[in-house]
């Protein structure tokens, strides 16, 4: 899995900081998560091929998470895109995008497919043979979802020494990888576990922005490989966090600790702060394995 942070600051775009957008590369998918203003420029800077993006996941309809979408859709058309584009977003975004296209007497020459989200319970919004994407209902001023991207259990790995020793026909390799017992050269059934090893444990990435401190998400993100959790504020401004329904770095770390995730990445910083290291220090009072998200950073896990 590879996570490209295109932007991870709250509120307005500035010279060196961008609103929220991330690209997650997982099992050959290139998923765009949120699309703040200027996302298409950041995509170009990161050299991410536009036509590899088939699914876009939008957490909520505050501008710093979706104002880049109309522009991106329009650019896709100008570049001659033909592939379908799926947009998973709260109800309302479809209406707003279609109105903008209509007022500009514009349309797309590719299929624009909206999957409107209204459910307040966690639900699967995308699934194929290798990956599932599930919503993480968050507690914010408007209807908001985070997203949990999870690999499915992979195929078992062949122990080639054992397989060749038994004289297993190549035609049975696929069944072996799927966990079946298969016949050897003499026609005797051989136990799968004597010829295969278990697959690598599936990895997962939980994206949680924007949200107040919310313990209800813990069961959904439990044991995630990586958690991105917003930390708009530091504890010194906790009085601002509650009414705006955002979190502090310490609160983000407390969620990471309770969910027993592998790594916590912080982001969605208020632009009032100049030194991001303070976020890390504050978070590490609760949970040690903390990384600072920042525009342009790429994490592989
Ligand atoms: Zn917001």
């Amino acid at each position: 899995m590879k996570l490209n942070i295109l932007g991870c600051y709250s509120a307005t775009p500035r010279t060196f900081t961008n609103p929220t957008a991330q690209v997650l590369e997982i099992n050959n998918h290139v998923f765009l998560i949120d699309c703040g203003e200027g996302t298409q420029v950041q995509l170009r800077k990161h050299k991410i091929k536009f036509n590899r993006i088939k699914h876009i996941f939008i957490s909520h309809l505050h501008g710093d998470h979706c104002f880049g979408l109309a522009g991106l859709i329009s650019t896709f058309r100008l570049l001659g895109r033909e592939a379908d584009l799926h947009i998973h977003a709260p109800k309302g975004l479809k209406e707003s995008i279609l109105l903008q296209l209509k007022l500009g007497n514009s349309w797309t020459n590719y299929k624009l497919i909206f999957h409107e989200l209204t459910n307040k319970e966690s639900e699967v919004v995308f699934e194929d043979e290798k990956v599932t994407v599930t919503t993480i209902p968050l507690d914010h001023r408007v209807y908001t979802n985070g997203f949990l991207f999870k690999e499915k259990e992979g195929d078992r790995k062949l122990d080639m020494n054992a397989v060749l020793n038994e004289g297993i026909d190549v035609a049975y390799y696929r069944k072996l990888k799927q966990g079946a017992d298969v016949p050897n050269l003499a026609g005797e059934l051989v136990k799968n576990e004597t010829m295969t090893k278990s697959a690598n444990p599936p990895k997962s990435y939980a994206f949680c922005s924007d949200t107040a401190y919310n313990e209800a998400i813990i069961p959904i993100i439990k044991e995630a490989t990586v958690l991105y959790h917003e930390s708009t504020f530091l504890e010194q401004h906790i009085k601002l966090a509650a009414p705006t329904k955002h979190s502090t770095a310490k609160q983000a770390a407390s969620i990471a600790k309770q969910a027993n995730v592998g790594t916590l990445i912080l982001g969605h910083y208020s632009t009032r702060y100049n030194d991001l290291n303070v976020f890390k220090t504050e978070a590490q009072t609760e949970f040690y394995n903390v990384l600072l998200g920042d525009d342009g950073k790429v994490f592989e896990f």
Side-chain angles (χ1 to χ4, degrees):
M1 266 194 222
K2 188 170 167 189
L3 179 68
N4 302 264
I5 309 244
L6 308 183
C8 71
Y9 288 81
S10 64
T12 62
R14 302 188 308 172
T15 313
F16 299 109
T17 65
N18 296 276
T20 303
Q22 306 186 346
V23 168
L24 180 72
E25 298 176 45
I26 170 174
N27 286 30
N28 277 331
H29 289 290
V30 176
F31 292 137
L32 176 62
I33 310 165
D34 278 349
C35 190
E37 196 179 336
T39 294
Q40 57 175 308
V41 180
Q42 290 296 95
L43 285 168
R44 285 188 194 275
K45 279 190 191 162
H46 279 247
K47 299 192 170 31
I48 289 160
K49 293 204 171 83
F50 284 5
N51 57 13
R52 290 203 61 205
I53 299 171
K54 306 263 165 56
H55 290 264
I56 300 177
F57 298 87
I58 301 289
S59 62
H60 66 300
L61 301 189
H62 282 156
D64 56 338
H65 294 257
C66 67
F67 278 179
L69 190 59
L72 187 62
I73 286 169
S74 166
T75 297
F76 282 169
R77 181 181 66 86
L78 294 172
L79 295 176
R81 181 186 178 106
E82 290 178 354
D84 295 356
L85 181 66
H86 294 263
I87 297 169
H88 308 260
K91 188 173 166 56
L93 190 63
K94 176 182 178 181
E95 192 186 340
S96 134
I97 295 286
L98 293 187
L99 179 63
Q100 288 184 74
L101 289 170
K102 188 180 148 198
L103 293 176
N105 197 21
S106 181
W107 202 243
T108 59
N109 41 354
Y110 56 92
K111 242 191 195 168
L112 200 50
I113 303 155
F114 285 90
H115 304 267
E116 295 191 290
L117 304 177
T118 54
N119 200 338
K120 289 186 177 156
E121 305 289 324
S122 176
E123 62 178 334
V124 174
V125 289
F126 173 84
E127 180 167 23
D128 69 2
E129 64 281 1
K130 291 198 165 163
V131 180
T132 54
V133 185
T134 310
T135 56
I136 309 167
L138 299 176
D139 179 15
H140 195 42
R141 304 193 305 279
V142 294
Y143 174 68
T144 304
N145 291 294
F147 298 98
L148 176 69
F149 301 82
K150 194 167 184 182
E151 291 177 341
K152 288 187 175 173
E153 191 84 45
D155 284 347
R156 294 183 66 81
K157 291 178 177 168
L158 299 184
D159 175 350
M160 282 316 292
N161 275 336
V163 170
L164 293 172
N165 272 341
E166 291 286 353
I168 306 291
D169 195 292
V170 178
Y172 287 117
Y173 285 8
R174 194 171 157 71
K175 279 198 151 185
L176 267 180
K177 287 181 184 170
Q178 291 166 346
D181 300 340
V182 299
N184 62 12
L185 206 56
E188 301 152 341
L189 211 57
V190 185
K191 286 272 177 221
N192 186 281
E193 56 266 29
T194 65
M195 293 178 291
T196 64
K197 294 172 187 157
S198 50
N200 292 332
K203 292 176 183 167
S204 57
Y205 172 62
F207 168 85
C208 295
S209 186
D210 300 0
T211 186
Y213 176 77
N214 179 18
E215 291 180 358
I217 68 174
I218 291 168
I220 305 170
I221 64 170
K222 197 98 189 153
E223 316 275 337
T225 314
V226 175
L227 165 67
Y228 172 91
H229 195 292
E230 75 127 286
S231 54
T232 308
F233 297 108
L234 293 170
E235 284 285 303
Q236 61 175 281
H237 294 117
I238 196 164
K239 281 195 176 142
L240 295 175
T244 57
K245 295 235 174 195
H246 284 300
S247 302
T248 66
K250 191 175 177 188
Q251 289 173 331
S254 170
I255 294 289
K257 181 177 159 186
Q258 292 172 76
N260 196 29
V261 302
T263 301
L264 168 66
I265 300 177
L266 296 175
H268 201 264
Y269 316 108
S270 160
T271 47
R272 79 188 59 233
Y273 304 108
N274 292 319
D275 181 12
L276 293 187
N277 288 309
V278 189
F279 283 84
K280 186 171 178 174
T281 314
E282 180 178 299
Q284 282 183 324
T285 61
E286 285 285 323
F287 180 83
Y288 186 72
N289 203 3
V290 178
L291 297 171
L292 287 173
D294 207 353
D295 299 7
K297 274 194 183 171
V298 178
F299 299 99
E300 292 200 49
F301 48 91

